[in-house]
Amino acid sequence: MRLPAFRYLAPKTLAEASRMIADAGPDGMLVSGGTDLFPNMKRLQFDPRILVGLRHLSELLGVSGDPHRGMRIGAATPLHQLGLHPAIRARYPALATAAGSVATPQIRRMGTLGGNLCVDTRCNYYNQSYEWRRAIGFCMKRDGDVCLVAPGSPRCVAVSSSDTAPAMMALQATVVLSGPDGERTLPVAALYHDDGMAYLAKRPEEILTAILLPPVDGLRNTYWKLRRRGSFDFPILGVAASLRLDGDGTCTDARIVLGAVASRPVEAIEAEKLLLGQRLTSDLIEEAAMAAYRPAKPLDNTDLTLAYRKRMARVFVARALRELANLP
Amino acid sequence: MGEEKEEYSIIGRPLIKVDAMAKVTGETKFADDLALPRMLHAKLLRSPHPHARILSIDTGPAEALPGVHAVLTGRALPIKFGILPVSQDEEALATEKVRYVGDPVAAVAAVDEETAEAACRLIRVEYEVLPALMSVGEALAREDVRIHDYGPRGNIHKEVALEFGDVEEGFAQADHVREDVFFYEGSTHLPMEQHAALAAHGPDGKLCLWSSTQTPHYVHRALAKVLELPASHIRVIALPNGGGFGGKSDPFSHEIVVCKLSMLTGRPVKICLTREEVFYAHRGRHPVTLWFKTGVTRGGAITAMHFRSYLDGGAYGSYGVASLYYTGALQTVTYRVPRYKFEGVRVFTNKPPCGPKRGHGTPQPRCALEVHLDKLAEALGLDPSEMRRRHLVQPNSVTVNQLRIGTVGLGECLDRVVERSGWKAKHRKLPFGHGIGVAGSAYISGAGLPIYWNALPHSGVQIKIDRGGGVAVFCGSTDIGQGSDSVLAYVAAEELGIEPEDIRVVTADTDLTPVDLGSYSSRVTLMTGNATIQAARKLKAQLFEAAGEKLGVPFDRLRAAHRRIFDRDNPEAGIGFVEAAVLAEAKFGTLGAVGSYTPPKGLGKYKGAGVGPTPTYSYSAAVVELTVDPETGFITVDKVWLAHDIGKAINPLLVIGQIEGSVYMALGEALMEEQAFRKGVHKIPSMLEYKSPTFLETPQMESILVETLDPAGPYGAKEVGQGVLLPVVPAVLNAIYDAVGVRIDEVPASPEKIVKALEAQRRGRASGNGRLPSVTFPEPTVVQPTGA
Amino acid sequence: MVPSPTLAVNIAPLRDVHKALIRLRVNGETHEVYVPVHKTLLEVLREDLNLTGTKHGCELGECGTCTVLVDGEPVLSCLALPIELQDRDIVTVEGLAERGVPHPLQVAFAELGAAQCGYCTPGILVAAKSLLDQNPRPTLDEIKEALAGNLCRCTGYIKILEAVELAAQRMTGNWKRETGNWGTGSGA
Ligand SMILES: Cc1cc2nc3c(=O)[nH]c(=O)nc-3n(C[C@H](O)[C@H](O)[C@H](O)COP(=O)(O)OP(=O)(O)OC[C@H]3O[C@@H](n4cnc5c(N)ncnc54)[C@H](O)[C@@H]3O)c2cc1C
Ligand code: SF4
Ligand code: FES
Ligand code: FES
């Protein structure tokens, strides 16, 4: 399969990149590692006339700071490097694990953190060739006007499939967006809409330049990923969790974020509430896992059945919490 | 041919393959690596409907696109073809009807792929959409909607009913009778190389096709038929296949189309299928529903077996008639079955056609049978490995369905895997979540009959020796990674007393090489090996005669080894191979010889008796140990022990390679691979979503070779490419039961099925057996056992 | 009768092509090619530089067959743009042997039968080379992890793992392979 034709622009600075993408308007798209965009373009899910390459912008590269003061990760940092970074591995294991479980070793060397946070939502009626989609009937996400998974749905319910997004939310990270009118920061949680088409709360011409991780101070965190094989596969469920426990084991802070259960990562607020102010026992964890699993509403558009994936939300939340609570 | 020489110099050694260095340096040319000057690129327009009538095709806009050189529709290629003479039901491009999403309808040759693809999109086809029949049940229910207009009735492509001995009498004698229903999902070969073909029709009127095919001879015949050219004007060259597994054994639309496009444009035309198109080309494992009813004595001896299979054939015949017969043929060649009844049906559906995948038609019944036996053993309170061991078929016997058995290494295979795995200490004794399972199996070493009726050899080999001592072996066989080129070199080197690297092997070229029927049905080593021995021994006789004259040593004292011909009793007395070649050429003229092989005829005379006979059966046994996560249903296969009766390992390295590859493919089928459809369309035609195991799913593996030296095989050798896949799948299912106490009578045993079965068990509900499609089978042909 | 829908079709692949003169350093040799910028590295290697040793199985990033090295790291040539790789060090399977002397990985793959059909082999060889260059004494799990982005349908992976271990052992001299009771075959 081949790429559709496009013009390739290689800006030298962030400012130049902003101008280029703004000028290109709806004909333009940003590309970083290309590991999400290029397969999608080959299937004609996108056919931009202009690509603006971000890979080499120095403003988007580099990892700085430390776990005590917080860290800044350039958006064009390859995922592979996150897994190698000693401080990230030691103190932000949710991120290191999530980044280290994306796709394959090759793709982790090409794919970037910014691209991973912006990765297109997925659906097995949509991540298909042009001819395939034509055969089954185009859907509203591209070229059509209905949803084939949920025919009554007014919106697309394609699945948020980023591994790092739930991890970033559990770590309460923020993103830096840079547009023609300047810079703004946004909590990662606010970067997403629950809409398979307009899944990013970012203007098309805004460039994600960096991710800011808050200081860790005692935040335990982890990421659990469900997929068929140990490699290649997108998450069909991701569970990122972070906990802060005080001296006697009482939970003072809890975040549980589910990936791949909706068009955006979903925070399990009910479950978090159950944990706060409590000491983590097996029973409490079971209860929290039940609470986290209830709102998970997977649909039949990824690998494995939805009933199974929903059921696994409970199992994986429990496992993630047990890991953080040091329970067997 | 199977007699043992006192000592081999090549046979039995773990030598490197003759093409190994080319493969590791990127030198090997696969079909898509070829390019010719002025070459055009072709694309196929495929049907977007699972079932539809073609009302009109407008190629005008496509023809008008700059860069387009030719647009082709089925009207230019009206002659039907198909691999089996009984089902010539395929068209290179559909003319009246399309029968699955992906069925080729038109083709374009253009300056590049992009232009060809864009032109395909501009072709306007008007269809009348017909009801899509996506399952055996639907296809049987809608007799009014016929996918093809042949076959006994409705959408039944082929039905069989055979009874050998009186099964009812056998059931009456049994202490215990049990019935089980299984479902074995379809899967695809997924060779890493996508099919590719390049055709060049020259100004001399001759046509040459280079293709990634396992069966150049059958492609050759199909081209002659459809293109209406004399076969002698067509040359088919099979390139080394980047994996085949049965998926490149049919003549394909794209092969015919590039030939026709080259004839129309006067330029070479190449096509390479996309991965998605490879899923449509398919010819993979049939989804089969299976039913077994077996009677046993208290000791586990089978008194009668009644078996039914329901094959979901997909849209075309392909090898399907053979696949159907194969589901019923080999139940009798492992454990003694004195009375046997087989009823089966293959049904057309609107899906890519199924055909032969590694094990062709036999993994499904073998899986069901071995699980069924596991259940019987448990009911009888017998150890399943011992029950199998006690009731093996006898060597040199004849089965109730008149199959001739040669050597049988199954008992030793079972013993070895039981011993090596520590079975006795583990079976039903491992902690919850850990389990172990066993199964046995058998497979053919080449089919007794060719695909089209003829009295000709199945394999031919020609060897020439030049005065420089150069030896070239010519054979029509195709190397698909299994090492068939190397086997030719090893055998010729052994016979002529030289080294494999002294030999040039020329294969799979219909202009240059004698016919070999192709790389399917595990026939190549046995058949080409025997043909090579025959050719080489003719030349050896000439070399010995010339050398003997010179040395003054009688003929039968001469030996050939280490590039010398010498006196057995006085090895110092000898001459070099090159010198012998010169002497022989001086004495006899140009040195060349041919050899050929035709397998012995089967015993059976009944209709269908052609499927099952083979020169010799290979046998295998597997033990699988695995861990089930009862919460997620995920399975980790910890270790597989696989013992195989190889007859004689011509190269143990290649044998073990085939075992490991088969075990891998079996685990893929057992646990995850699934050719799934939704709304008439292949649900997951990609390498990402069609799940195949990665490096990380690789278990430990121990391969054990058992040698029984079968007189039918070259040096005693049997097949290894396919049979070893068979016992692994049921051993997995049996191990799951041992681990968590639930029976998954279905393949693949995906995590969701395991979780569901455990849930049902917790609630005290038996996970119910599947339902059988409703089919009235014809009255069986009754075949009286010949009292052997 | 249900008529089939008539749709405006997307022939985006054909529109105005932006070409560029691109300098690529492949296996130590510098090439200048004037190609459409949307041509992938895979296509340029195979079609413009005649380096057909690099194979493809999906062109979508889903199989690893097209793996090449860029500055020593394994990447997928089917998803890489040459215009982004100017003056980087690209190594393909053709660049593994030096002056006709095969790399120890190539020898080990040949000896152990780690290449059956050989189609996945070029990609796996370069991925393995990258591993051994960075980690000369990998554990079995490290080898599996490093090669987890490459599919093979023939070998069941066992012989490949053994060959990487063997090559590593030969390249480092003293270190012992882990291979013990797995992937073994015992003769009759
Ligand atoms: C076989 C396969 C398996 C995969 N498995 C996984 C998986 O398991 N988990 C997973 O999360 N992903 C997976 N992916 C998707 C993808 O590889 C990763 O998400 C990767 O991190 C994307 O990063 P990239 O830099 O390549 O993104 P690109 O493809 O360059 O971009 C992706 C999208 O983000 C936009 N974008 C990129 N960078 C920026 C930026 N700085 N500012 C604004 N917008 C930007 C692009 O315009 C595009 O729309 C897989 C892909 C493949 C082909
Ligand atoms: S969820 Fe519905 S609209 Fe969205 S991609 Fe899937 S089928 Fe299309
Ligand atoms: S060809 Fe499959 S990953 Fe590139
Ligand atoms: S050797 Fe054939 S795919 Fe790996």
Side-chain angles (χ1 to χ4, degrees):
Chain A
M1 284 182 104
R2 289 170 190 261
L3 283 167
F6 52 80
R7 291 186 73 76
Y8 182 88
L9 304 182
K12 303 233 159 28
T13 62
L14 180 58
E16 200 186 345
S18 290
R19 217 165 31 245
M20 284 173 169
I21 191 69
D23 289 349
D27 279 345
M29 279 186 88
L30 299 167
V31 63
S32 189
T35 61
D36 179 48
L37 186 60
F38 290 153
N40 290 349
M41 283 173 65
K42 288 185 180 188
R43 292 182 291 243
L44 294 180
Q45 293 159 232
F46 299 102
D47 52 356
R49 283 166 186 272
I50 296 168
L51 283 187
V52 179
L54 302 177
R55 226 11 226 279
H56 303 296
L57 294 178
S58 56
E59 293 96 327
L60 269 61
L61 290 171
V63 179
S64 56
D66 61 56
H68 308 293
R69 291 177 296 138
M71 297 185 73
R72 179 189 185 281
I73 305 173
T77 307
L79 296 169
H80 171 68
Q81 281 179 20
L82 301 178
L84 294 181
H85 197 284
I88 295 176
R89 267 166 64 162
R91 311 309 293 277
Y92 302 98
L95 175 57
T97 310
S101 72
V102 169
T104 64
Q106 291 91 325
I107 289 177
R108 293 196 291 276
R109 283 168 168 91
M110 306 172 79
T112 63
L113 182 57
N116 192 259
L117 287 174
C118 297
V119 72
D120 195 14
T121 54
R122 294 182 65 82
C123 168
N124 60 19
Y125 284 94
Y126 166 70
N127 296 100
Q128 302 277 5
S129 73
Y130 182 76
E131 265 66 32
W132 190 99
R133 287 184 286 125
R134 196 171 157 193
I136 206 161
F138 292 110
C139 76
M140 66 168 87
K141 191 159 157 72
R142 178 73 210 236
D143 300 318
D145 45 23
V146 291
C147 172
L148 299 168
V149 187
S153 171
R155 68 168 182 87
C156 163
V157 293
V159 182
S160 165
S161 303
S162 163
D163 277 304
T164 62
M168 289 298 195
M169 273 173 66
L171 294 169
Q172 299 182 58
T174 51
V175 291
V176 183
L177 298 176
S178 164
D181 317 325
E183 228 177 59
R184 59 175 178 138
T185 58
L186 213 60
V188 173
L191 182 62
Y192 302 105
H193 290 311
D194 195 13
D195 182 319
M197 289 162 71
Y199 62 98
L200 285 179
K202 164 185 107 52
R203 287 191 296 278
E205 71 281 5
E206 277 183 314
I207 296 173
L208 200 165
T209 57
I211 294 89
L212 307 177
L213 290 170
V216 207
D217 40 288
L219 192 73
R220 308 170 177 212
N221 58 89
T222 188
Y223 180 72
W224 282 68
K225 174 172 179 173
L226 176 68
R227 57 172 157 183
R228 202 75 89 98
R229 305 174 290 181
S231 187
F232 287 97
D233 296 344
F234 277 90
I236 46 178
L237 169 70
V239 173
S242 68
L243 291 180
R244 206 167 261 122
L245 303 179
D246 69 10
D248 69 348
T250 307
C251 177
T252 59
D253 193 358
R255 307 275 154 176
I256 301 169
V257 185
L258 306 186
V261 295
S263 298
R264 55 162 296 152
V266 175
E267 191 167 351
I269 296 172
E270 290 304 311
E272 294 168 355
K273 280 191 197 146
L274 286 172
L275 301 179
L276 284 176
Q278 306 288 323
R279 292 174 57 176
L280 269 62
T281 61
S282 292
D283 288 347
L284 182 65
I285 286 176
E286 258 325 298
E287 221 182 302
M290 276 306 280
Y293 134 102
R294 257 181 242 115
K297 288 198 179 58
L299 285 160
D300 191 14
N301 55 357
T302 73
D303 186 29
L304 294 172
T305 61
L306 56 153
Y308 174 80
R309 275 152 49 219
K310 181 166 168 78
R311 193 188 173 102
M312 286 309 111
R314 196 180 76 214
V315 175
F316 273 54
V317 168
R319 288 185 178 185
L321 293 176
R322 299 180 82 84
E323 182 201 331
L324 295 182
N326 287 328
L327 290 168
Chain B
M1 290 170 199
E3 84 275 22
E4 271 248 71
K5 204 166 127 181
E6 51 272 45
E7 193 177 90
Y8 296 118
S9 44
I10 307 293
I11 300 304
R13 282 172 49 199
L15 299 171
I16 95 164
K17 293 204 291 181
V18 293
D19 51 4
M21 286 318 292
K23 288 199 165 157
V24 299
T25 50
E27 283 290 310
T28 303
K29 290 272 180 275
F30 296 91
D32 192 41
D33 298 339
L34 304 180
L36 289 173
R38 301 174 66 241
M39 182 171 86
L40 299 173
H41 297 264
K43 277 275 174 195
L44 293 169
L45 173 71
R46 293 173 181 271
S47 166
H49 301 293
H51 198 189
R53 201 177 309 286
I54 298 172
L55 301 178
S56 68
I57 304 181
D58 176 7
T59 57
E63 275 159 29
L65 192 70
V68 170
H69 284 252
V71 181
L72 196 62
T73 65
R75 246 177 318 170
L77 294 165
I79 298 174
K80 292 191 173 185
F81 66 97
I83 184 72
L84 299 186
V86 293
S87 24
Q88 299 283 302
D89 59 4
E90 295 186 52
E91 291 170 309
L93 298 167
T95 51
E96 286 168 20
K97 257 176 75 160
V98 287
R99 296 179 173 89
Y100 66 96
V101 171
D103 211 356
V105 178
V108 175
V111 287
D112 53 31
E113 252 182 61
E114 282 109 317
T115 308
E117 182 172 41
C120 281
R121 286 187 188 142
L122 293 173
I123 297 172
R124 279 199 288 268
V125 187
E126 226 189 324
Y127 293 101
E128 177 193 338
V129 175
L130 302 170
L133 307 176
M134 298 305 290
S135 68
V136 168
E138 277 171 32
L140 289 171
R142 293 296 301 265
E143 292 212 352
D144 57 319
V145 183
R146 291 194 82 187
I147 295 173
H148 284 280
D149 52 15
Y150 77 105
R153 63 188 180 277
N155 289 301
I156 293 181
H157 171 209
K158 175 78 187 171
E159 55 191 0
V160 231
L162 293 165
E163 185 166 2
F164 306 94
D166 183 343
V167 286
E168 289 313 320
E169 180 188 86
F171 289 130
Q173 290 170 15
D175 296 317
H176 183 84
V177 179
R178 158 169 202 112
E179 292 176 36
D180 282 302
V181 177
F182 296 89
F183 177 66
Y184 198 110
E185 180 57 284
S187 58
T188 201
H189 319 81
L190 206 77
M192 293 306 296
E193 177 205 28
Q194 300 139 307
H195 308 45
L198 165 62
H201 187 250
D204 56 359
K206 296 236 172 84
L207 174 70
C208 184
L209 176 76
W210 292 262
S211 183
S212 46
T213 175
Q214 300 175 233
T215 53
H217 176 62
Y218 296 136
V219 172
H220 190 200
R221 288 172 53 84
L223 291 180
K225 181 181 179 197
V226 181
L227 300 170
E228 296 180 278
L229 292 176
S232 58
H233 292 196
I234 303 174
R235 176 181 187 183
V236 177
I237 300 176
L239 279 298
N241 287 198
F245 317 113
K248 296 171 181 167
S249 312
D250 286 59
F252 283 102
S253 157
H254 67 268
E255 294 173 315
I256 298 167
V257 160
V258 286
C259 290
K260 187 71 184 182
L261 286 171
S262 179
M263 291 165 71
L264 288 174
T265 59
R267 292 173 65 165
V269 179
K270 181 161 96 170
I271 192 165
C272 180
L273 301 190
T274 63
R275 178 53 59 183
E276 179 182 345
E277 289 179 290
V278 174
F279 280 91
Y280 300 147
H282 192 45
R283 321 287 158 151
R285 185 85 71 228
H286 285 76
V288 187
T289 303
L290 311 112
W291 172 82
F292 267 103
K293 178 177 176 185
T294 303
V296 287
T297 65
R298 249 177 291 280
I302 295 166
T303 59
M305 182 182 285
H306 186 178
F307 166 73
R308 291 187 178 134
S309 60
Y310 308 79
L311 283 72
D312 180 345
Y316 291 96
S318 183
Y319 284 79
V321 170
S323 317
L324 172 62
Y325 277 114
Y326 269 121
T327 63
L330 302 188
Q331 268 73 299
T332 55
V333 304
T334 42
Y335 321 108
R336 216 178 85 79
V337 179
R339 299 169 193 82
Y340 178 59
K341 184 170 175 184
F342 162 42
E343 292 163 310
V345 63
R346 183 180 193 261
V347 177
F348 287 124
T349 54
N350 293 118
K351 298 190 276 193
C354 299
K357 180 185 170 197
R358 214 169 199 168
H360 192 193
T362 68
Q364 303 97 325
R366 178 53 59 185
C367 175
L369 173 59
E370 296 291 322
V371 173
H372 181 61
L373 289 177
D374 212 62
K375 297 181 185 185
L376 280 165
E378 184 170 47
L380 297 172
L382 299 174
D383 177 293
S385 70
E386 264 172 41
M387 183 177 100
R388 287 175 171 82
R389 184 76 182 80
R390 263 193 237 157
H391 304 289
L392 300 173
V393 292
Q394 290 306 303
N396 305 313
S397 62
V398 174
T399 67
V400 68
N401 55 342
Q402 302 181 354
L403 301 177
R404 200 191 290 116
I405 306 286
T407 60
V408 179
L410 180 55
E412 194 179 341
C413 288
L414 282 164
D415 292 347
R416 298 287 294 274
V417 289
V418 160
E419 176 215 309
R420 294 292 305 156
S421 64
W423 169 267
K424 292 261 147 61
K426 291 177 178 166
H427 185 241
R428 300 288 184 266
K429 298 189 182 84
L430 294 171
F432 183 76
H434 298 272
I436 194 163
V438 69
S441 69
Y443 198 65
I444 54 171
S445 304
L449 288 182
I451 273 167
Y452 63 99
W453 170 247
N454 68 69
L456 307 170
H458 291 210
S459 199
V461 166
Q462 184 170 10
I463 305 181
K464 77 146 186 58
I465 303 181
D466 65 45
R467 56 184 70 173
V471 175
V473 179
F474 299 84
C475 177
S477 62
T478 305
D479 203 310
I480 59 171
Q482 85 281 40
S484 60
D485 283 7
S486 302
V487 168
L488 292 171
Y490 300 150
V491 172
E494 178 66 44
E495 291 300 325
L496 298 173
I498 54 179
E499 298 298 319
E501 66 256 32
D502 301 339
I503 290 173
R504 185 164 296 281
V505 177
V506 180
T507 51
D509 180 331
T510 60
D511 262 12
L512 302 183
T513 60
V515 167
D516 173 78
L517 293 180
S519 289
Y520 66 95
S521 100
S522 277
R523 47 178 301 289
V524 179
T525 293
L526 187 132
M527 299 197 190
T528 68
N530 281 332
T532 310
I533 290 177
Q534 196 184 68
R537 287 189 182 165
K538 289 180 188 167
L539 288 166
K540 185 157 73 171
Q542 292 183 325
L543 294 170
F544 278 14
E545 225 170 290
E549 236 166 56
K550 163 98 187 204
L551 294 167
V553 176
F555 188 98
D556 48 10
R557 261 186 22 217
L558 288 170
R559 290 291 176 270
H562 312 299
R563 301 187 174 116
R564 286 177 73 241
I565 290 171
F566 55 89
D567 182 351
R568 176 193 69 195
D569 298 341
N570 174 20
E572 297 298 298
I575 57 171
F577 178 80
V578 181
E579 191 186 345
V582 170
L583 291 172
E585 185 174 337
K587 186 170 166 66
F588 298 106
T590 303
L591 298 179
V594 292
S596 53
Y597 179 78
T598 312
K601 294 237 167 351
L603 300 173
K605 296 280 176 284
Y606 58 92
K607 195 156 182 284
V611 174
T614 178
T616 176
Y617 297 95
S618 75
Y619 290 93
S620 328
V623 166
V624 171
E625 188 173 340
L626 50 73
T627 306
V628 182
D629 179 333
E631 266 188 319
T632 63
F634 268 75
I635 292 173
T636 311
V637 177
D638 301 309
K639 184 154 183 177
V640 179
W641 293 263
L642 194 302
H644 183 63
D645 167 13
I646 180 67
K648 167 80 191 169
I650 288 183
N651 177 342
L653 195 66
L654 300 194
V655 175
I656 290 169
Q658 287 301 310
I659 294 177
E660 291 170 353
S662 297
V663 169
Y664 154 85
M665 200 163 270
L667 293 177
E669 286 185 22
L671 301 175
M672 57 179 85
E673 292 184 34
E674 208 161 345
Q675 177 92 336
F677 294 82
R678 179 177 60 188
K679 301 190 190 205
V681 182
H682 195 300
K683 190 174 166 186
I684 43 170
S686 70
M687 303 224 60
L688 179 60
E689 294 302 332
Y690 179 91
K691 305 299 179 188
S692 66
T694 75
F695 267 95
L696 298 175
E697 282 75 43
T698 306
Q700 292 189 20
M701 224 180 272
E702 183 172 325
S703 309
I704 301 158
L705 308 187
V706 169
E707 297 196 328
T708 54
L709 301 177
D710 195 288
Y715 312 106
K718 302 182 175 185
E719 75 85 35
V720 63
Q722 311 192 67
V724 278
L725 179 143
L726 305 184
V728 181
V729 184
V732 166
L733 296 184
N734 291 338
I736 292 171
Y737 178 70
D738 191 47
V740 289
V742 293
R743 286 284 180 192
I744 310 292
D745 289 339
E746 209 176 306
V747 160
S750 54
E752 47 211 353
K753 289 179 194 157
I754 290 174
V755 167
K756 217 167 146 189
L758 282 166
E759 180 70 24
Q761 185 198 46
R762 228 170 282 131
R763 303 211 166 145
R765 280 191 270 120
S767 46
N769 261 338
R771 281 218 322 266
L772 290 177
S774 82
V775 175
T776 316
F777 289 100
E779 273 302 302
T781 304
V782 177
V783 183
Q784 287 315 323
T786 50
Chain C
M1 170 187 137
V2 189
S4 54
T6 44
L7 291 158
V9 289
N10 189 332
I11 54 169
L14 281 190
R15 65 197 172 202
D16 49 322
V17 168
H18 168 202
K19 284 188 160 193
L21 185 68
I22 295 172
R23 208 168 51 238
L24 285 177
R25 195 162 68 243
V26 186
N27 302 328
E29 260 176 71
T30 301
H31 303 265
E32 287 197 344
V33 286
Y34 185 64
V35 291
V37 293
H38 70 269
K39 250 189 140 171
T40 61
L41 178 61
L42 172 75
E43 291 153 6
V44 170
L45 287 172
R46 290 176 53 83
E47 294 163 13
D48 298 282
L49 301 180
N50 284 322
L51 291 169
T52 54
T54 301
K55 310 298 179 200
H56 56 97
C58 70
E59 304 97 68
L60 293 169
E62 304 177 350
C63 73
T65 308
C66 65
T67 304
V68 301
L69 301 184
V70 173
D71 294 339
E73 300 284 345
V75 304
L76 301 176
S77 62
C78 72
L79 299 183
L81 293 185
I83 197 165
E84 294 191 331
L85 298 172
Q86 304 210 59
D87 294 318
R88 309 276 291 277
D89 250 313
I90 299 167
V91 172
T92 67
V93 68
E94 289 94 341
L96 290 187
E98 272 182 55
R99 296 185 156 273
V101 179
H103 188 277
L105 276 164
Q106 292 175 302
V107 177
F109 271 58
E111 280 178 12
L112 297 190
Q116 284 191 21
C117 78
Y119 198 80
C120 67
T121 310
I124 292 184
L125 280 170
V126 295
K129 177 183 183 325
S130 165
L131 169 72
L132 296 189
D133 287 348
Q134 296 174 24
N135 177 2
R137 296 180 172 80
T139 63
L140 179 59
D141 283 340
E142 285 170 339
I143 303 174
K144 285 186 181 174
E145 285 291 342
L147 300 182
N150 294 76
L151 292 176
C152 168
R153 287 290 281 177
C154 296
T155 61
Y157 304 114
I158 302 262
K159 289 281 170 283
I160 296 173
L161 292 168
E162 289 178 347
V164 175
E165 287 191 323
L166 178 61
Q169 185 185 32
R170 286 179 178 163
M171 289 166 73
T172 53
N174 48 4
W175 158 82
K176 192 140 169 30
R177 293 160 70 193
E178 241 179 66
T179 307
N181 60 346
W182 62 277
T184 50
S186 47

